Amino acid sequence: MKFTVLGSGAGLPSKDRNTQSFVIDCVLEYNEYILIDAGEALQHRILHTHIKPSKIKNIFITHLHGDHIFGLPGFLSSRAFQGGEGIPLTIYGPAGLREWLDLTFKISESTLNYPLEIIEVEADMTIRLNDFTVRVLPLSHGIDSFAYIFKENDKIGELLTDKLLALGLKPGPVYGKIKASETFTVEGKEYQTADFIGETIYGRKIAVHGDTRLNSKEDYLNQLFNADLIVHEATFLKDEKEKAHDYFHSEINQVLNMFSELNYKQLLFVHISSRYTDEDIREVSAALNDKAAIAFDYFELPIPRNVQ
């Protein structure tokens, strides 16, 4: 599994940063990509990757500002001609998303050749998707904006086959039966299956935010605890805390301070304003801790499974 940034910029695109779009690559696990937000020119960005539109089967929209959705109608139409025929697609997003897409397709006389389901989300909603539980968290942004927390189910550890072989049990269907049971018996002696199972494989957690002011509420921070990846906006990079608050956005140092006591593996900053130069970004990046980074377009981050 890996996280790919197709667009890392804020409201106005620049020559180097497209507006916001991300992909969670689950092809090896579930044979699909999960798209989060659909900035303008999304379909053009995908052309520079190995991503197949037909394998994007679920889309999550954080909020309905144009820099997060203007690429959606074009992508949906293109998918119909890029192997997507007959392959269902589900879009999750705030109220109003269905009306906007229905009107867009009606006026443009566009049709799709695959089933499209639009599910309008609400705060604290829970969505089941593959082996993920997706939690919808409300944010503060003037219009409805959400964070999506993708939590993969934990998996039982692998059988310790060397220990089973030592008991005289050769590989075969019996191994599956043992793994599915609490106890098993060999030559009249009972054994606890847990003693023959390796360490639990803990599910990965990825938290992707829409645009937002800071949220320091304890229940919100608890949802992010132990995240493998937190993706958070940093529209402002230069200590403009008051301006960030006034515009319903976040400033990078405030975010770092808010998460300073939070246990996570990687913090990725996105939604970077086009007014910052490369030199500005290099200067800010140099001061970040080793768990934080400012994203760029086509940035990729592998997210391995956790064994503890």
Side-chain angles (χ1 to χ4, degrees), residues 126-139:
T126 298
I127 300 163
R128 306 293 178 183
L129 176 66
N130 297 320
D131 282 343
F132 286 108
T133 298
V134 186
R135 185 73 185 275
V136 182
L137 299 185
L139 301 173

Side-chain angles (χ1 to χ4, degrees), residues 8 136 175 205 235 260:
S8 59
V136 182
Y175 277 20
K205 182 190 287 190
T235 308
S260 62

Side-chain angles (χ1 to χ4, degrees), residues 260-304:
S260 62
E261 301 299 322
L262 190 66
N263 186 39
Y264 61 87
K265 289 187 177 178
Q266 185 71 45
L267 173 59
L268 189 62
F269 289 110
V270 296
H271 206 264
I272 309 303
S273 173
S274 60
R275 63 200 178 97
Y276 295 114
T277 65
D278 290 344
E279 184 177 349
D280 291 331
I281 293 170
R282 283 194 295 270
E283 178 185 337
V284 175
S285 295
L288 297 177
N289 62 54
D290 59 1
K291 296 198 301 182
I294 297 175
F296 50 85
D297 287 16
Y298 302 116
F299 175 94
E300 293 185 347
L301 179 70
I303 307 174

Side-chain angles (χ1 to χ4, degrees), residues 75-292:
F75 167 78
L76 296 177
S77 298
S78 294
R79 183 182 185 270
F81 300 98
Q82 294 175 307
E85 182 175 0
I87 300 175
L89 174 66
T90 303
I91 307 177
Y92 302 87
L97 178 61
R98 181 184 293 107
E99 179 184 5
W100 176 67
L101 283 175
D102 286 348
L103 184 60
T104 298
F105 283 123
K106 178 181 177 180
I107 292 175
S108 64
E109 297 186 4
S110 301
T111 58
L112 304 179
N113 58 10
Y114 55 86
L116 176 64
E117 182 178 11
I118 300 171
I119 298 175
E120 296 187 336
V121 303
E122 298 177 350
D124 301 316
M125 183 176 177
T126 298
I127 300 163
R128 306 293 178 183
L129 176 66
N130 297 320
D131 282 343
F132 286 108
T133 298
V134 186
R135 185 73 185 275
V136 182
L137 299 185
L139 301 173
S140 175
H141 188 53
I143 67 169
D144 286 344
S145 183
F146 298 103
Y148 295 107
I149 300 183
F150 299 81
K151 176 61 175 71
E152 191 179 28
N153 296 336
D154 295 342
K155 291 192 175 184
I156 189 171
E158 298 296 325
L159 274 175
L160 302 177
T161 55
D162 288 348
K163 294 183 70 173
L164 292 174
L165 288 169
L167 296 179
L169 290 176
K170 295 181 179 180
V174 66
Y175 277 20
K177 293 178 181 179
I178 288 173
K179 193 170 183 179
S181 65
E182 294 185 1
T183 63
F184 64 97
T185 302
V186 179
E187 296 182 353
K189 183 176 180 180
E190 185 176 80
Y191 295 89
Q192 297 293 319
T193 301
D195 295 333
F196 294 80
I197 298 291
E199 295 178 323
T200 299
I201 302 171
Y202 290 93
R204 289 159 282 198
K205 182 190 287 190
I206 304 168
V208 183
H209 292 71
D211 295 359
T212 184
R213 285 172 172 167
L214 289 185
N215 184 352
S216 58
K217 294 181 180 178
E218 184 176 357
D219 57 344
Y220 156 77
L221 293 174
N222 286 340
Q223 295 286 336
L224 303 182
F225 191 76
N226 278 341
D228 292 87
L229 173 63
I230 300 173
V231 182
H232 199 287
E233 71 129 294
T235 308
F236 293 89
L237 299 178
K238 292 284 189 176
D239 291 318
E240 297 168 291
K241 299 177 178 62
E242 292 183 3
K243 194 170 184 178
H245 184 272
D246 290 343
Y247 283 89
F248 288 90
H249 283 292
S250 297
E251 188 273 335
I252 193 168
N253 291 306
Q254 285 186 306
V255 179
L256 286 166
N257 290 336
M258 182 177 67
F259 290 160
S260 62
E261 301 299 322
L262 190 66
N263 186 39
Y264 61 87
K265 289 187 177 178
Q266 185 71 45
L267 173 59
L268 189 62
F269 289 110
V270 296
H271 206 264
I272 309 303
S273 173
S274 60
R275 63 200 178 97
Y276 295 114
T277 65
D278 290 344
E279 184 177 349
D280 291 331
I281 293 170
R282 283 194 295 270
E283 178 185 337
V284 175
S285 295
L288 297 177
N289 62 54
D290 59 1
K291 296 198 301 182

Side-chain angles (χ1 to χ4, degrees), residues 3-7 20-26 32-39 42-43 45-46 51 53 55-62 68 71-72 75-76 79 89-92 129 148 150 208:
F3 188 84
T4 300
V5 177
L6 296 177
Q20 182 159 305
S21 299
F22 313 125
V23 168
I24 300 176
D25 182 341
C26 304
E32 76 163 279
Y33 301 97
I34 299 170
L35 175 66
I36 305 165
D37 282 345
L42 166 65
Q43 58 183 317
R45 310 302 278 184
I46 288 176
I51 295 169
K55 289 190 176 183
I56 294 177
K57 301 172 185 176
N58 291 277
I59 299 175
F60 290 80
I61 300 297
T62 62
H68 297 256
L72 188 55
F75 167 78
L76 296 177
R79 183 182 185 270
L89 174 66
T90 303
I91 307 177
Y92 302 87
L129 176 66
Y148 295 107
F150 299 81
V208 183

